[in-house]
Amino acid sequence: MDMGTAKLDVRDLLSTAGDLDPSSPLSAPDLRLLIDRLQIHSSRIKGRARAYLLSHRHDLASALSRAADASSATSSLSDSLSTALQLLTDRPLDLEIRALADQIVATRRELRERKEALGIVTEISRFLDRIRFVREGTRSERVVDAAKTVCELKSTFIVLKKGDDEPLVFDMLRNEWRECFDELQGVLAKNVEDCVKYNEEKKKLIISSRGCKVELSVALQALEILDVLDYGMAKVANLIIKHVIAPVITNISTSVTEVVSEDATEKGESILQVVSSETKHYKDGSVLYSRIINILKFINKSICLNKGTWMQCFAKMTWSTITDLIITNFLSKAIPDVPSKLIDFQDIMRNTAEFEEALRKMHFISGDNKDRKLSQYVDNVEVHFASKKRNELLVKARSILKDFSYADPPESGTSDYVVDILLQQDRCFVSKSAFQLMNLVHEALRDACLSSARVAKEYYNASRDVLHLYKAIVPAKLEKQLSSITQVAIIVHNDFYYLSQEVLGLAFQYRADFPSGLQNHATFVDLAPNLYEISEDILQRQIQLVLSFLKEAIDCADGFQNTHLSLQYESAKFSIEQIVFNLEKVRIMWEPCMAASTYRRCMHTILDFVFSKITADMLALDDIAAEETLQLQSLIHLALENMTSLFGSLTTAVDEMIPSLRKLRKLADLFDMSLKSITLAWENGELFLCGFTSSEVESFVKAIFADSNLRNECLLRIEEFTFT
């Protein structure tokens, strides 16, 4: 009915609606006109509605009747539902049903638990019966069936895993099973041991086919079922290794032979006799390997009954020991001593490979590399050879250094241990140990030139290790001698100096002859700085010890004070004599040993210290009497005259090499010079060139000459005259 859904815009009822602005308000006349027209429109709608109702009167009446019937039915249904709910409230059937269901569930659970308990009791009864069967089988000859039963029972405990809430009976059953297992295992192992005996007196290995309970084969079969075959054969394997295999490998004159006799056959015995042999050496190993194979064949036939798994079990417990014995007692000793004989080792390599192949066919070893230990060893013969030579070199080096020795330095300068310093026109005396050690290094490097790359590398490393050994052992071994003024300390210094220079030329000397794989890697230059540093440390320690003694001797002169007094002069003279004596003692120890350049360098340092100290002490005197100048001058002359031989051991230009000596000589002259002469000597630079300073000259003048106008004038001239 579209009249009810039509949309009406009131502005359309006005005649001027098209001219009106939609956003502007209506005027009063427009509103009155609009009201009148709405009333007319409303009357028209009402008329149309009345006409519609009259035309559809029957349809509307039928709809109202159906609505009344539906309302009546709904009321009746509501009453019925209320009645039913009331009945349910008065009689709670659902509670009765729930209680009955709970009772049924509880009854079923109880029944299930009783069935389970009955099943457990039944299983326990069966278990105990089978345990009884195992015990009976253990005590009789049915050990195989007993072993099978034990294994079946073991699976029961795999299912019944141990837990915190399991019945106590399960733990008791486990203990029962474990006791049965241990008892059966022990009986079988004892049976195997009874079958294999060694007669120490007659040197016979006797294998019986039957033991205390059952036959050997039956016992081994039962042990295999129990998966403890290795336990059962352990003592047997140790017995055979100890009394049969080991003697054959370690003793060349020991062999074996199988004894065949009717008596042994009737007893079911197999006998292997250990006998003496005339073999003097194994040579290529064929004899040794043949003997071992014969032993293992006997074991395979008499004990393992040619069964592969049993033989493999025996091998698992013995092969490692056998290989170690063969390597230690044969292969390692067969390694050649010189590289040229390595080719002769090829026969041993071939026989070793054939030996392992024969063992593989016997199922004694597998074809895996882990079982081919002997082949791997002989294949690396070059490495073993090099390792052997390296160990020999190091053993020799340790022996040399352990008994560190040196000869007395020759007075003539010629000796086997007076060596040339590389790249220098100089020589020094070294210890016998250092000389022998360097010969070892040259020997190793010469062998490296004749070897393959792998062997040469070991020789090269060994030569470096020899040098490291000297560096590590000698200073520690001779620490006491190095801490005092001794000739040994100087010889050790020479050793390190000599080694530091020798290593500089090793690579150049041998590199061209090294195998190509080593030429680019071999170097010794890196060792030189450390060796030279150690030599210098030892030398400087000796120098400091000497200087310390000389300083004590100089200090005994008490600064050369009051030498015009007899007692003080004698004390100063004794001090000078001690200085000269100590210097001469050092010269006697050092000159025959040291390289000439090193000796001169050290003595220059020591003499410079002595002369500087004496000069400084004399210049420090603040008041010198006339008689005292003569005494001081005589002390200087005494020192210099007694050092003639010492100066002769150095060079003719001693004054140039030791500046303090020129200064001391000039100081002796100053004691005789006049004030003007001293002043003139300063102005013409003579004193300056001798090492004097203006303050020293001024102090000397003040100490020698009394205060006067002339002295003041000379002091002013000395002070004003400076050198640049």
Side-chain angles (χ1 to χ4, degrees):
M1 194 168 60
D2 55 353
M3 74 174 186
T5 60
K7 295 182 180 179
L8 179 65
D9 189 350
V10 294
R11 290 178 181 271
D12 294 339
L13 299 177
L14 300 176
S15 58
T16 60
D19 300 331
L20 294 175
D21 184 0
S23 61
S24 62
L26 298 175
S27 62
D30 290 337
L31 290 173
R32 283 194 294 272
L33 178 60
L34 182 61
I35 292 171
D36 292 340
R37 292 189 176 180
L38 285 173
Q39 289 177 349
I40 296 171
H41 190 67
S42 175
S43 298
R44 188 180 299 122
I45 292 172
K46 289 179 180 179
R48 291 181 180 177
R50 187 180 301 110
Y52 179 81
L53 291 173
L54 289 174
S55 62
H56 294 80
R57 181 178 57 187
H58 295 292
D59 296 333
L60 291 173
S62 177
L64 290 173
S65 178
R66 288 195 298 273
D69 292 340
S71 176
S72 177
T74 301
S75 177
S76 176
L77 181 61
S78 175
D79 293 340
S80 299
L81 182 60
S82 298
T83 301
L85 291 174
Q86 185 64 35
L87 289 173
L88 290 174
T89 304
D90 295 340
R91 298 178 63 187
L93 294 177
D94 57 335
L95 296 179
E96 294 180 6
I97 293 171
R98 185 180 300 109
L100 182 60
D102 291 342
Q103 184 178 359
I104 292 171
V105 170
T107 302
R108 288 181 175 177
R109 184 186 303 111
E110 182 179 359
L111 180 60
R112 184 171 62 254
E113 290 175 353
R114 289 182 179 180
K115 287 183 177 179
E116 291 177 354
L118 181 60
I120 291 174
V121 172
T122 302
E123 289 298 324
I124 291 174
S125 177
R126 291 177 182 174
F127 185 88
L128 293 175
D129 288 340
R130 302 183 79 183
I131 287 290
R132 193 177 303 109
F133 173 79
V134 172
R135 293 189 185 281
E136 292 175 355
T138 302
R139 297 184 180 94
S140 65
E141 295 185 1
R142 294 179 298 172
V143 292
V144 174
D145 293 334
K148 292 179 180 179
T149 303
V150 167
C151 292
E152 292 172 0
L153 292 176
K154 182 179 180 180
S155 62
T156 303
F157 294 116
I158 296 176
V159 177
L160 299 175
K161 293 182 179 179
K162 188 173 182 180
D164 295 335
D165 56 348
E166 73 170 9
L168 180 61
V169 67
F170 286 176
D171 192 48
M172 296 173 60
L173 294 177
R174 282 193 188 89
N175 292 334
E176 282 288 327
W177 176 86
R178 190 174 294 109
E179 289 177 3
C180 283
F181 181 89
D182 293 342
E183 182 182 356
L184 179 58
Q185 176 182 248
V187 168
L188 294 173
K190 181 65 169 60
N191 192 94
V192 174
E193 293 174 30
D194 286 343
C195 292
V196 183
K197 298 291 185 179
Y198 182 77
N199 189 317
E200 183 70 34
E201 182 180 353
K202 296 182 179 180
K203 296 188 180 302
K204 290 182 179 181
L205 179 68
I206 304 172
I207 313 297
S208 301
S209 60
R210 183 178 179 83
C212 58
K213 286 286 184 181
V214 295
E215 292 183 357
L216 175 61
S217 60
V218 175
L220 293 175
Q221 182 183 356
L223 287 167
E224 186 177 22
I225 293 172
L226 292 175
D227 196 24
V228 290
L229 187 60
D230 52 350
Y231 174 84
M233 297 183 72
K235 291 187 177 180
V236 171
N238 290 337
L239 181 143
I240 294 173
I241 285 288
K242 179 180 179 181
H243 296 289
V244 181
I245 297 179
V248 167
I249 298 175
T250 58
N251 190 347
I252 298 175
S253 61
T254 300
S255 182
V256 294
T257 181
E258 185 176 355
V259 178
V260 180
S261 66
E262 292 182 2
D263 184 51
T265 303
E266 291 176 359
K267 293 180 180 179
E269 294 179 344
S270 300
I271 301 175
L272 190 67
Q273 179 76 58
V274 180
V275 298
S276 298
S277 172
E278 296 180 357
T279 305
K280 300 302 181 182
H281 52 77
Y282 289 137
K283 292 183 179 179
D284 59 0
S286 58
V287 174
L288 172 63
Y289 293 149
S290 176
R291 292 176 181 176
I292 296 174
I293 288 175
N294 289 337
I295 295 171
L296 296 179
K297 283 181 177 180
F298 177 82
I299 300 300
N300 190 27
K301 178 184 68 173
S302 304
I303 298 178
C304 300
L305 305 180
N306 298 316
K307 191 169 182 179
T309 55
W310 296 359
M311 195 61 175
Q312 289 168 7
C313 179
F314 181 81
K316 183 174 68 174
M317 293 179 290
T318 58
W319 180 234
S320 178
T321 303
I322 292 173
T323 55
D324 290 342
L325 287 171
I326 293 174
I327 291 172
T328 303
N329 295 278
F330 169 55
L331 293 179
S332 62
K333 295 179 179 179
I335 295 173
D337 294 327
V338 293
S340 60
K341 292 185 179 181
L342 284 175
I343 191 66
D344 297 335
F345 201 78
Q346 297 296 323
D347 292 338
I348 294 177
M349 296 174 65
R350 183 184 64 256
N351 291 332
T352 301
E354 293 175 354
F355 172 64
E356 289 182 337
E357 179 61 21
L359 296 183
R360 188 191 65 79
K361 291 179 179 179
M362 291 170 55
H363 303 288
F364 189 76
I365 63 173
S366 66
D368 298 337
N369 288 333
K370 63 182 181 65
D371 285 339
R372 294 188 174 274
K373 187 176 179 181
L374 297 178
S375 293
Q376 292 173 0
Y377 184 89
V378 297
D379 289 343
N380 291 323
V381 61
E382 285 189 343
V383 175
H384 300 310
F385 167 77
S387 179
K388 179 180 178 181
K389 297 302 294 183
R390 179 179 182 178
N391 290 337
E392 289 177 357
L393 285 170
L394 294 180
V395 168
K396 288 181 181 178
R398 290 190 186 97
S399 177
I400 291 171
L401 298 176
K402 180 181 178 182
D403 301 323
F404 182 84
S405 62
Y406 64 95
D408 292 331
E411 296 181 1
S412 61
T414 58
S415 168
D416 291 339
Y417 308 120
V418 175
V419 295
D420 294 323
I421 304 300
L422 187 66
L423 305 178
Q424 299 182 27
Q425 294 182 349
D426 214 342
R427 312 183 81 198
C428 70
F429 178 82
V430 298
S431 68
K432 179 180 179 181
S433 296
F435 187 81
Q436 292 175 333
L437 209 69
M438 204 62 217
N439 286 339
L440 274 182
V441 172
H442 285 288
E443 177 186 338
L445 296 179
R446 283 194 297 269
D447 287 340
C449 296
L450 303 175
S451 306
S452 64
R454 286 198 299 180
V455 177
K457 184 177 180 181
E458 290 296 322
Y459 275 122
Y460 162 70
N461 290 331
S463 64
R464 289 178 60 93
D465 289 343
V466 167
L467 296 170
H468 283 301
L469 279 177
Y470 188 92
K471 182 176 67 175
I473 294 176
V474 172
K477 181 179 178 64
L478 303 177
E479 177 62 28
K480 183 177 180 180
Q481 290 89 329
L482 299 181
S483 300
S484 57
I485 303 174
T486 59
Q487 196 169 54
V488 176
I490 297 303
I491 293 175
V492 174
H493 152 74
N494 289 346
D495 288 351
F496 277 102
Y497 181 52
Y498 166 64
L499 295 176
S500 70
Q501 301 303 305
E502 280 292 302
V503 297
L504 294 175
L506 289 178
F508 298 100
Q509 184 177 353
Y510 294 101
R511 178 173 292 157
D513 297 325
F514 281 156
S516 58
L518 186 62
Q519 288 179 350
N520 297 329
H521 302 286
T523 179
F524 292 90
V525 177
D526 59 307
L527 301 177
N530 186 241
L531 293 171
Y532 181 77
E533 181 181 355
I534 295 174
S535 74
E536 278 297 301
D537 287 344
I538 295 172
L539 182 60
Q540 291 303 318
R541 285 175 64 183
Q542 289 294 298
I543 292 174
Q544 292 304 316
L545 289 171
V546 171
L547 294 181
S548 177
F549 276 100
L550 292 173
K551 182 178 182 301
E552 291 181 6
I554 296 173
D555 290 341
C556 289
D558 194 22
F560 299 97
Q561 300 182 65
N562 302 318
T563 53
H564 60 290
L565 302 177
S566 176
L567 184 62
Q568 294 296 330
Y569 176 77
E570 290 299 326
S571 176
K573 182 181 177 182
F574 178 76
S575 175
I576 294 295
E577 290 173 349
Q578 285 297 109
I579 294 169
V580 174
F581 175 78
N582 287 330
L583 287 173
E584 185 63 19
K585 184 178 178 181
V586 170
R587 182 193 70 79
I588 293 173
M589 281 195 302
W590 288 10
E591 186 181 13
C593 298
M594 283 185 173
S597 59
T598 304
Y599 170 74
R600 288 193 294 269
R601 173 166 61 92
C602 295
M603 292 307 298
H604 290 164
T605 300
I606 292 172
L607 290 175
D608 187 59
F609 169 82
V610 171
F611 298 148
S612 296
K613 176 67 174 170
I614 294 174
T615 303
D617 286 353
M618 290 185 176
L619 288 175
L621 297 173
D622 54 1
D623 187 12
I624 303 176
E627 294 180 4
E628 197 172 354
T629 59
L630 297 176
Q631 300 290 22
L632 292 173
Q633 188 181 55
S634 68
L635 290 173
I636 294 175
H637 289 156
L638 175 66
L640 297 179
E641 288 171 2
N642 290 335
M643 292 184 188
T644 304
S645 60
L646 182 60
F647 293 152
S649 68
L650 299 173
T651 62
T652 54
V654 177
D655 293 69
E656 296 179 4
M657 302 303 299
I658 309 175
S660 59
L661 176 57
R662 298 197 306 270
K663 188 174 182 179
L664 183 62
R665 290 185 192 276
K666 196 62 182 176
L667 178 60
D669 295 338
L670 289 179
F671 286 122
D672 282 338
M673 294 173 64
S674 64
L675 179 57
K676 289 185 177 181
S677 299
I678 294 174
T679 305
L680 183 61
W682 174 256
E683 290 177 335
N684 62 24
E686 182 181 352
L687 297 182
F688 179 77
L689 292 176
C690 290
F692 287 91
T693 64
S694 60
S695 59
E696 289 176 337
V697 176
E698 291 173 11
S699 298
F700 181 79
V701 169
K702 291 178 181 178
I704 296 293
F705 301 99
D707 187 14
S708 65
N709 292 332
L710 179 60
R711 193 185 79 166
N712 292 335
E713 179 185 349
C714 290
L715 289 174
L716 183 61
R717 288 169 57 186
I718 293 171
E719 181 181 359
E720 291 179 346
F721 198 95
T722 59
F723 296 91
T724 58

